[in-house]
Amino acid sequence: MKITFPHMGNMHIAIKALLEGLKLEVIPPPPISQKTFELGIKNSPEFACMPLKINVGNFIEALENGADTIVMAGGWGPCRFGYYAQIEKEILNDLGYDFDMVILEAPDSKIQELLKQLKAIGQNVTFWEFLKTVKYAWHKLNSVEELEKKLEHILPRTIEKNKAEQIYEQGLKKIDKARDKNEVDWHTKQSLAEMDKLPRHQEKILKIGLIGEIYTILEPSANYKIANYMAGLNAEVTRSVYTSEWVNDHLLGGLVKPSNHQKILKSSKPYLNYSVGGHGRETVGNAVDFARKSFDGIVQIGPLTCMPEIVAQSVLGVVSREENIPCMTLYFDEHSGTAGIYTRLEAFIDMLRRKETGQIATI
Amino acid sequence: MNHYLGVDIGSVSGNFVLLDQFGKLKSKLYLRTQGNPVKAIQDGYTFIKNNLSNTTRINGVGVTGSGRHLAAILLGADVVKNEITAHAVAASSLFPAVRTIIEIGGQDSKIIILRNAIVHDFAMNTVCAAGTGSFLDQQSARLNIPIEDFGQHAIKSSQAVRIAGRCGVFAESDMIHKQQMGYPVEDIIMGLCEALVRNYLNNVGKGKKIEAPVVFQGGVAANAGLKKAFSKVLNLPIEVPEHYEVMGAIGVAVLAREHIEHSYIPTVFKGDDFIMDGDFKSKSFECSGCPNICEIVCIKRDDEILAYWGDRCKKWETSINEPARNKLRVV
């Protein structure tokens, strides 16, 4: 059995560790590229959102590389996503690929169910081996996230922006290759220390909250790396979603680390009192949360046609007025030109900076 | 005398202005880029240069518009700014009390809301260019009326016909339908103006609070019919500045002046010889380094490579030495 899975940000590092621990041969899809987009767009329904198209592209590329089993999340939510595994299976079958699809009926179900499903995929894995590998994958996930958070902190503050990105990319590769916990820890520590050493500037750092649809937030190639772009303008971007928090809240029932999911849902009141599908309510709650933490501005992102985010967007106008925080919304689909996106972001950052200091940043 | 050059290279036009050290406009030029921004920059600069007396000197350069990166490389720019900021700066330096800016250009349209001379909120058209200059251009060509006279025809109308404003294609088929029914052309054009205003308010304005004073600028502000339609629909007086068509360029020239005067950094302007004598060429190729297959553009002056762009990994962009690149950094 040669197993593969869809990309979502840096999650592949932890998933790979998990599946390898279950004694499976893993063939991760190649990194998301223009080719992935083209394959996905060509073979998906036109009105589907970008995440589905990228998934399809991932699967085709992995199957071409020899994978014969796909693991995909399913379930009854959180939005159209609940059907994506089935649709993707149909699309790939129509294209003539021969493969098995394992759909983890995970999100928000009971943790025991998920663990049972995962263990069932494994090849003769004992219970203790299974627990150990889950723990190890969780550790890799958290180490990767330490790097991500460090980059978010350093990138807007350093003058060596390219260098910071390089250290981060190399750090990820080393964590991916590491064979045990000690190696992971060592490489994480090294990369963090290297980033800390980069020279910094003294300019004022703006704080931006990035909210919206989870895939678009976590997968940089689905949002044209806008977080790094804003960091280039000396704005620190804090995401509303980190992979480990999502796994903790939705897969592990909030048991592994303290969760602020309930607090976020509460913050959405009185602006949005009901679930509107997807993470629409979380988006509103996070906007309120960022505003109350005195962030300078909020950027909402999502794939074009994302209904939950459209609902949230219509509520954000009121949040922006009442909580006194500027909001901007960007939807992403297949563009080849990034100029329009960057022009709007630059204008947004200028606006925030002028409000803050009365100055427009020139070179 | 110190002067500041502002250049706005847009989708349809290239605009050039020269401000003196007190911010007064000394000369301006509006010319169509006709798909060749490099030539437009060279021609525009030559025109501005020929109008200069020998004692004047260009002490700073600002560039904006979708062609700003290219202009920055050709001219050597002290300030590279997006169009929204540039338009807001220009309008608020001429009308300090302005609260709403309507800007309609060749391919995009914007609304900028200001409070206390600071940008408070803005929006730009996203997927649809139905209400912009290019569409008007196309319709004026179809009706065989020069675009310069389009607005004058419109305001002759006493009764505008109803035209669908939702989409450019629908608007055109409505116009053809009304024309075949025999409605006078003035009424059809005025109807189109009102449709564009509705389209703008729905697609760009999206419920933002439009308060007076309202300034209407950008190339399309030349159209008196649109000014009248905006005034009618919003029920507010609409101000069109004297130099409405070059406001973006004025904005970056003002920013260039602020930058030079506040930072004491000498200008990076490359001078006459560089721009007027050089033979600028661009070349594009596909990078085969990874499956992204980025389309890389290389800008050259004679045999010297000035810039690369288009690569996601920045492999090409960073292959040019650091100091040269720093000057081009876009903030």
Side-chain angles (χ1 to χ4, degrees), chain A residues 33-34 344 346 350 362, chain B residues 81-82 85 125 259 292 312:
Chain A
S33 66
Q34 192 54 36
R344 285 162 179 82
E346 187 193 308
D350 270 355
T362 46
Chain B
K81 263 290 154 214
N82 64 80
T85 306
N125 62 332
H259 170 70
N292 275 326
R312 284 169 214 209

Side-chain angles (χ1 to χ4, degrees), chain A residues 193-314:
Chain A
E194 262 184 79
M195 280 199 252
D196 269 328
K197 268 187 266 166
L198 291 172
R200 305 195 184 188
H201 59 76
Q202 294 304 319
E203 266 184 62
K204 163 114 179 93
I205 303 292
L206 289 174
K207 293 187 80 178
I208 307 286
L210 188 64
I211 59 174
E213 191 271 332
I214 177 168
Y215 188 92
T216 315
I217 291 182
L218 292 179
E219 178 52 63
S221 59
N223 66 34
Y224 298 90
K225 288 192 169 182
I226 60 166
N228 289 8
Y229 176 75
M230 287 191 272
L233 303 175
N234 301 340
E236 181 177 6
V237 178
T238 307
R239 287 182 269 152
S240 61
V241 184
Y242 290 86
T243 319
S244 72
E245 288 166 12
W246 184 82
V247 171
N248 180 43
D249 289 340
H250 294 274
L251 303 185
L252 307 175
L255 297 173
V256 186
K257 55 185 197 179
S259 159
N260 68 348
H261 190 233
Q262 288 308 318
K263 185 186 146 223
I264 292 296
L265 289 183
K266 224 181 247 168
S267 306
S268 70
K269 287 179 186 175
Y271 304 106
L272 187 58
N273 299 327
Y274 309 98
S275 169
V276 292
H279 294 99
R281 195 168 172 203
E282 281 87 342
T283 295
V284 174
N286 277 308
V288 174
D289 192 53
F290 280 132
R292 291 181 186 164
K293 284 179 185 156
S294 333
F295 274 60
D296 297 297
I298 287 174
V299 176
Q300 182 204 14
I301 59 175
L304 196 69
T305 74
C306 178
M307 195 271 286
E309 293 305 322
I310 292 171
V311 176
Q313 185 192 1
S314 63

Side-chain angles (χ1 to χ4, degrees), chain B residues 168-247:
Chain B
V169 179
F170 292 176
E172 178 164 350
S173 71
D174 259 14
M175 284 172 70
I176 293 174
H177 172 69
K178 297 272 149 108
Q179 150 202 325
Q180 311 300 51
M181 301 268 290
Y183 287 94
V185 72
E186 298 87 46
D187 293 353
I188 296 176
I189 297 176
M190 193 61 210
L192 174 68
C193 290
E194 288 185 5
L196 292 190
V197 167
R198 285 198 304 274
N199 175 290
Y200 173 89
L201 294 176
N202 290 334
N203 274 338
V204 186
K206 276 194 182 152
K208 292 196 195 307
K209 216 167 172 205
I210 297 179
E211 292 175 12
V214 181
V215 173
F216 179 24
Q217 58 195 39
V220 174
N223 188 319
L226 269 174
K227 184 188 170 192
K228 193 176 159 195
F230 266 117
S231 180
K232 181 179 159 193
V233 174
L234 294 172
N235 198 18
L236 291 172
I238 308 285
E239 197 99 50
V240 174
E242 187 189 351
H243 307 295
Y244 61 88
E245 80 284 24
V246 293
M247 291 294 273

